[in-house]
Amino acid sequence: MAVQRRYLSLAAAGLTTAMTLSLSACGGSADGGDVTLKLVAADYGDTEANSSQHYWDKLVKDFEKQNPNIKVEVSVYSWKDVDKKVEDMVKSGKAPDMAQIGAYADYAAAGKLYSADQLLSIPVHADFVPALAEAGEYQRIQYGMPFGASTRRLFYNKKLFAEAGIANPPQTWADIAADAAKLKAKGVKMPYALPLGPEETQAETLMWMLSGGGSYTDSIGKYTIDSPQNVKTFEWLKKDLVGPGLTGTDPAKLNRQDAFNAFAAGDVGMLNGHPTLMKQAEAKGIDYGTVELPGPSGKAKATMGVADWMTAFKQNGHRDQVGKFLDFVYNEKNVMDFSGEYGLLPVTTSGSQAMLANSKYAKLHSFLGQLAQAEFYPANKTSWPMVSKTVKAKMGTAVGANGNPAGVLSDIQNAANEADNAGQ
């Protein structure tokens, strides 16, 4: 059930890029004049002190020292606002030169973006982790350049497990249910936190789909939301986890960040999480462990990967200068600085190798080891934003007391097919 996988050697990637660049060579500015580039970026920090604005300010200062004719203005917005901000700028005819956002397919389909091989030097373009490079493709051309990446693992509270007499973390769905029952008997508020609230339902949904052998799409990109595997997965959640009260709260009302906060407060036994949760849990003194996502009869065949995207708009015509800046953005030092600061995975092969070789990042190694085989949202489909919104609105109800997993999945499938056929 590969969704967005690529098994393409870096040499092949470099050859393709070289052929493209030979036809559209990137060079210096034709007029040699000063250019000011505008970048809109998302904020990965959770306080003003660690706002992404600080990262960009330092990077831009270093870049401008080396390139005095190119100025870069960076505006940082919260993840809640950044996609809409860029959408409004584009609609008003004032597209930024670059935008670091959550999706790219709509802009690529409208012909508004430069492709990666029109911008980046051959070594930089070939250095992207292959699975991430393919996840950034629209109609087999890469327009989305991965910027931040993460994978998912199951987190568990070691203290709560010990108090409940649980010796080992769960390996199967049956283990999850049995362990959650023991945690509940010990008075744990949320034995298994299942955040299917509106914040990030599409992520938790995909993790469970993959865990059950399904996904949002098949290997050729066709939506398979109501597949037998997915129906079976959510029927199990409803009957074996939510029904017996092992989630401790209504999943439809639990948001991802609230679940993370509860884990950091010591009120959650288990949940699916990404690397950011490690720092949050450690700050509150939680002794935790992580394992690969369990499946029906053993570990899941795949985990979810998430990438955010750097895009470059054609409107202002600054291709050469944007390419020079992005080459700088993606050098190993800058990639590592960003990944280290925000607990994310490097999006380049060189960065990944550097992280694996550094014991400072030992806790990220298990997440990084999953990246090459991770499966991603179908972000290359222009219908995905609408499908994601539909999942957020409906999926939580599927596992409730009066839920109907097959019916909800069928409704979402029908909406997805309609959007796909309309070319949305």
Side-chain angles (χ1 to χ4, degrees), residues 293-317:
L293 301 186
S297 57
K299 68 180 182 181
K301 293 181 180 179
T303 188
M304 182 179 81
V306 172
D308 306 316
W309 306 105
M310 179 69 75
T311 57
F313 288 86
K314 294 178 178 179
Q315 181 179 321
N316 301 317

Side-chain angles (χ1 to χ4, degrees), residues 4 20 40 54 129 131 133 141 156-157 205 215 225 250 262 320 327 346 373 399:
Q4 296 287 349
T20 305
V40 174
H54 301 300
V129 172
I141 298 174
Y156 63 97
N157 184 311
T205 296
S215 192
I225 294 166
D250 180 358
D320 296 343
D327 272 358
Q373 301 299 322
V399 298

Side-chain angles (χ1 to χ4, degrees), residues 8 24 56 88 98 172 203 211 238 254 256 276 410-411 420:
L8 179 65
S24 56
W56 286 113
D88 290 345
M98 294 163 284
T172 67
S211 160
K238 178 182 181 330
L254 181 65
R256 192 276 318 271
T276 302
S410 179
D411 287 346
D420 236 12

Side-chain angles (χ1 to χ4, degrees), residues 193-350:
L194 184 65
L196 292 175
E199 181 188 3
E200 205 184 38
T201 318
Q202 81 284 3
E204 190 73 17
T205 296
L206 179 55
M207 281 182 266
W208 279 99
M209 285 178 169
L210 293 172
S211 160
S215 192
Y216 281 120
T217 60
D218 61 18
S219 59
I220 60 172
K222 181 181 178 182
Y223 283 115
T224 53
I225 294 166
D226 62 351
S227 69
Q229 297 97 320
N230 291 341
V231 171
K232 184 176 180 181
T233 294
F234 285 90
E235 286 179 342
W236 182 87
L237 283 172
K238 178 182 181 330
K239 175 177 175 290
D240 291 66
L241 208 61
V242 181
L246 301 180
T247 59
T249 188
D250 180 358
K253 297 179 180 177
L254 181 65
N255 280 327
R256 192 276 318 271
Q257 190 56 56
D258 293 332
F260 279 18
N261 293 344
F263 185 81
D267 294 333
V268 172
M270 299 171 275
L271 81 170
N272 293 333
H274 54 67
T276 302
L277 180 56
M278 294 192 297
K279 186 178 290 188
Q280 186 176 350
E282 287 163 5
K284 296 292 187 178
I286 299 297
D287 186 15
Y288 66 89
T290 73
V291 292
E292 293 182 57
L293 301 186
S297 57
K299 68 180 182 181
K301 293 181 180 179
T303 188
M304 182 179 81
V306 172
D308 306 316
W309 306 105
M310 179 69 75
T311 57
F313 288 86
K314 294 178 178 179
Q315 181 179 321
N316 301 317
H318 295 149
R319 189 189 75 175
D320 296 343
Q321 294 85 356
V322 168
K324 186 171 288 189
F325 178 66
L326 291 180
D327 272 358
F328 186 78
V329 167
Y330 285 108
N331 72 35
E332 184 181 312
K333 177 185 181 301
N334 290 327
V335 168
M336 287 302 295
D337 284 349
F338 178 79
S339 300
E341 174 66 26
Y342 296 107
L344 293 166
L345 306 180
V347 298
T348 60
T349 300
S350 60

Side-chain angles (χ1 to χ4, degrees), residues 395-412:
M395 204 63 231
T397 65
V399 298
N402 299 313
N404 177 1
V408 171
L409 289 167
S410 179
D411 287 346
I412 299 172

Side-chain angles (χ1 to χ4, degrees), residues 8-88:
L8 179 65
S9 71
L10 295 180
L15 178 60
T16 302
T17 311
M19 293 171 65
T20 305
L21 288 177
S22 68
L23 298 175
S24 56
C26 289
S29 175
D31 58 12
D34 291 351
V35 167
T36 298
L37 303 177
K38 295 186 183 299
L39 165 64
V40 174
D43 196 349
Y44 288 82
D46 53 13
T47 66
E48 196 286 325
N50 70 348
S51 168
S52 297
Q53 189 72 56
H54 301 300
Y55 169 80
W56 286 113
D57 287 348
K58 182 182 183 303
L59 183 146
V60 166
K61 184 178 180 181
D62 293 343
F63 173 78
E64 290 178 350
K65 280 182 182 177
Q66 299 177 26
N67 300 274
N69 290 335
I70 306 175
K71 306 298 180 187
V72 185
E73 296 178 357
V74 183
S75 301
V76 173
Y77 297 90
S78 72
W79 271 112
K80 182 181 68 173
D81 301 323
V82 67
D83 287 342
K84 184 65 165 58
K85 180 66 176 178
V86 173
E87 180 184 345
D88 290 345

Side-chain angles (χ1 to χ4, degrees), residues 138-158:
Y138 174 73
Q139 295 186 345
R140 298 188 179 275
I141 298 174
Q142 186 185 355
Y143 294 95
M145 291 161 278
F147 187 74
S150 64
T151 59
R152 301 297 191 265
R153 292 172 69 81
L154 183 137
F155 284 67
Y156 63 97
N157 184 311
K158 290 184 176 181

